[in-house]
């Protein structure tokens, strides 16, 4: 049927909803169980962190004040409040620590792996969406949800931890591995890395179970490598003390500790005491040692370490995504993704 227009006017074409917008809706509908689970997990963990930030911290801090003021053999104080805070704050830190592994497992097994295994992805490619745009939208939607959700939880965790410092004697230090990552953007970067490697595993292995295993193993490996390299991502601060005194105490992350010779060379710590001991004095003389030293990261290095570590994980994530898209393009022979395609 032909649409008539008045002379001198131009017909305006009817705007059709883009294939990308339809694919976004499809992704949300297809993965509704995962979306509901993520929303439930987010609400539960956010509620726990808010409770810890408010009533949990106040009750535990009041109990510690009563305990510290006590001068008798037995004093009434709310021990349960202290134990509740200790347990629940640990659970919150562990939950944030394991979020990237859950994201990686879901991305490999369900988001990409299952659709490649069942042929759902191939069916979508025969429609109006190219394989490259299909993968881009499949990753963009969960990436946005993971970034926002994990980012909010990290902020709440840090607020909770900061409010406990100096008030709760058993509160974890910033150097604690779980607290270090749960308080900063490395957790968000690790979650995005898990999403990326899940996509790569699904495209490469085309099986939900194998992709799940590969995704989790990869994420565990990245987390372990990050823990090993973290102390070396930023220059340390050296503290030196005389051999007549005790070794300098590190207030942060210790990287190296030992003896310095008269030439400035570093020696391993022989675990001897001060030079007031005759045996230790003779040992230091033989080693030509002149002082103790400790190379460490003080608390002021927290954000430099966090930001460098986050940047490295994000670079690795970008490389994984690049490999994933190239692999899909090679396997499907699809054209590169261009702006305005598949509209």
């Amino acid at each position: 049927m032909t649409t008539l227009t008045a002379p001198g006017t131009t017909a305006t074409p009817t705007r059709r909803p883009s294939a990308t917008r339809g694919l976004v809706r499809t992704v949300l509908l297809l993965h509704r169980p995962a979306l509901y689970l993520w929303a439930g997990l987010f609400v539960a963990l956010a509620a726990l962190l808010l409770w810890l930030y408010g009533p949990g911290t106040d009750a535990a801090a009041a109990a510690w004040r009563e305990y510290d003021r006590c001068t008798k053999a037995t004093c009434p104080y709310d021990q349960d409040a202290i134990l509740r805070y200790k347990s629940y704050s640990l659970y919150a830190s562990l939950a944030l620590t394991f979020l990237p592994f859950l994201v990686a497992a879901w991305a490999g097994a369900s988001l990409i792996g299952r659709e490649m295994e069942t042929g759902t992805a191939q069916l979508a490619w025969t429609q109006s969406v190219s394989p490259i745009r299909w993968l881009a939208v499949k990753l963009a939607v969960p990436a946005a949800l993971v970034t926002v959700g994990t980012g909010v939880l990290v902020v709440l965790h840090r607020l909770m931890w900061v409010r406990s410092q100096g008030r709760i004697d058993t509160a974890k230090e910033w150097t604690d591995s779980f607290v270090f990552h749960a308080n900063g953007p490395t957790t968000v970067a690790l979650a995005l890395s898990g999403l990326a490697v899940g996509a790569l595993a699904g495209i490469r292995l085309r099986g939900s179970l194998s992709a799940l295993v590969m995704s989790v193993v990869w994420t565990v490996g990245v987390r372990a490598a990050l823990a090993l390299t973290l102390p070396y991502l930023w220059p340390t601060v050296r503290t030196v003390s005389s051999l007549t005194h005790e070794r300098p105490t590190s207030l942060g992350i210790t990287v190296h500790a030992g003896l310095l010779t008269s030439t400035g060379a570093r020696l391993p710590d022989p675990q001897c005491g001060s030079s007031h001991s005759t045996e230790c004095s003779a040992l230091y003389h033989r080693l030509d040692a002149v002082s103790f030293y400790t190379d460490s990261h003080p608390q002021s290095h927290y954000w430099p370490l966090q930001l460098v570590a986050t940047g490295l994980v994000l670079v690795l994530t970008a490389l994984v995504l690049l490999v994933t898209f190239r692999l899909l393009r090679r396997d499907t022979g699809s054209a590169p993704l261009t702006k305005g395609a598949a509209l």
Side-chain angles (χ1 to χ4, degrees), residues 44-332:
L45 193 49
L48 175 60
L49 289 169
L50 288 172
W51 179 85
L52 287 168
Y53 174 80
T57 294
D58 292 338
W64 273 112
R65 284 197 302 270
E66 292 296 327
Y67 179 82
D68 292 337
R69 285 199 299 258
C70 180
T71 58
K72 302 177 183 179
T74 58
C75 295
Y77 69 97
D78 192 353
Q79 185 180 21
D80 291 339
I82 294 175
L83 295 177
R84 275 196 303 270
Y85 182 90
K86 181 179 180 181
S87 298
Y88 292 166
S89 61
L90 176 61
Y91 298 154
S93 299
L94 288 175
L96 272 173
T97 298
F98 286 104
L99 271 182
F101 305 120
L102 294 178
V103 172
W106 171 75
S110 179
L111 180 66
I112 303 296
R114 186 174 63 184
E115 294 202 27
M116 297 294 293
E117 185 178 39
T118 60
T120 307
Q122 291 82 347
L123 178 62
W125 301 341
T126 63
Q127 309 302 317
S128 57
V129 179
S130 68
I132 298 302
R133 185 166 293 274
W134 170 85
L135 180 59
V137 175
K138 292 282 286 186
L139 290 176
V141 174
L145 295 174
V146 166
T147 300
V148 173
T150 308
V152 170
L153 293 176
V154 165
V155 170
L156 291 177
H157 187 281
R158 181 163 184 82
L159 291 174
M160 175 270 296
W161 177 83
V162 168
R163 196 161 185 263
S164 71
Q165 297 303 291
R167 302 179 65 196
I168 300 176
D169 294 3
T170 51
K172 296 291 186 179
E173 297 292 333
W174 71 275
T175 54
D176 180 82
S177 178
F178 296 138
V179 170
F180 182 93
H181 293 290
N183 274 350
T186 52
T187 296
V188 181
L190 286 168
L192 292 176
S193 175
L195 180 66
V197 77
L200 175 60
I203 295 295
R204 179 66 180 86
L205 302 177
R206 297 175 180 266
S208 55
L209 181 59
S210 56
L212 183 153
V213 173
M214 177 181 171
S215 303
V216 173
V217 169
W218 170 276
T219 308
V220 170
V222 172
R223 179 69 167 76
L226 192 61
L228 292 175
T229 59
L230 183 68
Y232 307 98
L233 299 180
W234 196 256
T236 57
V237 172
R238 174 164 292 181
T239 306
V240 178
S241 65
S242 171
L243 294 175
T244 59
H245 299 83
E246 294 298 327
R247 295 166 181 79
T249 302
S250 171
L251 299 178
I253 301 174
T254 299
V255 182
H256 297 293
L259 300 173
L260 289 177
T261 68
S262 60
T263 62
R266 297 184 305 177
L267 297 176
D269 191 344
Q271 299 300 321
C272 202
S274 70
S275 59
H276 290 301
S277 167
T278 303
E279 293 181 359
C280 292
S281 178
L283 173 62
Y284 297 149
H285 180 72
R286 290 196 304 271
L287 295 174
D288 188 31
V290 295
S291 62
F292 295 114
Y293 83 94
T294 299
D295 291 339
S296 61
H297 293 289
Q299 189 169 359
S300 60
H301 286 191
Y302 174 79
W303 283 111
L305 290 171
Q306 268 281 346
L307 295 177
V308 173
T310 300
L312 290 176
V313 175
L314 290 178
V315 168
L316 180 61
T317 301
L319 292 175
V320 171
L321 288 175
L322 178 63
V323 171
T324 304
F325 278 98
R326 286 186 176 275
L327 183 63
L328 180 62
R329 183 176 298 137
R330 185 200 68 183
D331 292 345
T332 61

